[in-house]
Amino acid sequence: MGLLTVLKKIKQKEKELRLLMLGLDNAGKTTILKQFNGEDITTISPTLGFNIQTLIYKEYKLNIWDIGGQKTLRTYWRNYYEENDAVIWVIDSSDIRRIDDCKLELKSLLEEEKLAGATFLVFANKQDLEGSKSSEEIIKIKS
């Protein structure tokens, strides 16, 4: 389900949304967010904690929480689960050696009670890199 579909599902009077962007480290979460915002992406370093960006899309105000994906930070993700309208799960399509870790973390998120009402978007990033897997190929990989 794409971002537009998520937005269409929301009542017209609810114009401010909270989105949580998660994924393993180096999946490209911060790069995606900066590109959406028209910012320079030539010097991006790993997110040690979180970034918050507010984007205006049409008449919507999107408050996007980009949380670091290093293994040591993942236990802190649960501090951000409440009151999210959507979760954007970013996969590095070129990092197949960690796809099992990625699937386990996503499965854990899908089982989180505090995220039960949130819409999930799985974003297969880095499709442009040589050796990356397509969305269809990623779905077929068995854990």
Side-chain angles (χ1 to χ4, degrees):
M1 185 179 313
L3 184 57
L4 284 175
T5 306
V6 172
L7 294 176
K8 287 178 183 176
K9 286 179 134 184
I10 297 167
K11 295 177 189 168
Q12 280 301 99
K13 59 184 171 184
E14 295 175 351
K15 301 290 187 181
E16 189 168 339
L17 305 172
R18 178 180 158 122
L19 309 176
L20 188 59
M21 185 176 279
L22 298 171
L24 302 185
D25 53 304
N26 201 38
K29 300 176 295 296
T30 301
T31 302
I32 292 168
L33 194 51
K34 285 184 177 278
Q35 280 187 311
F36 277 147
N37 218 18
E39 295 178 35
D40 180 30
I41 60 165
T42 56
T43 56
I44 295 178
S45 56
T47 303
L48 302 174
F50 63 90
N51 296 312
I52 304 171
Q53 291 277 347
T54 299
L55 304 176
I56 305 300
Y57 180 76
K58 296 188 179 182
E59 68 272 11
Y60 296 96
K61 182 178 179 181
L62 308 175
N63 297 308
I64 303 176
W65 291 67
D66 164 25
I67 313 297
Q70 294 86 347
K71 194 167 195 147
T72 56
L73 297 176
R74 294 179 207 159
T75 57
Y76 298 104
W77 285 356
R78 66 178 49 91
N79 296 325
Y80 303 92
Y81 290 168
E82 291 187 34
E83 300 181 23
N84 287 287
D85 297 293
V87 175
I88 303 169
W89 179 254
V90 181
I91 298 172
D92 180 346
S93 301
S94 67
D95 189 3
I96 298 310
R97 64 183 173 78
R98 296 198 307 162
I99 198 71
D100 287 341
D101 291 342
C102 189
K103 285 185 173 187
L104 285 172
E105 293 292 350
L106 176 57
K107 184 178 185 293
S108 177
L109 286 176
L110 292 170
E111 293 171 352
E112 273 295 329
E113 189 175 317
K114 290 180 181 177
L115 293 173
T119 300
F120 275 74
L121 167 69
V122 178
F123 191 100
N125 197 26
K126 302 185 184 183
Q127 295 273 310
D128 57 325
L129 297 181
E130 189 174 324
S132 67
K133 301 292 184 189
S134 69
S135 301
E136 293 79 17
E137 291 172 312
I138 292 169
I139 291 167
K140 291 178 184 176
I141 295 173
K142 302 288 184 207
S143 295

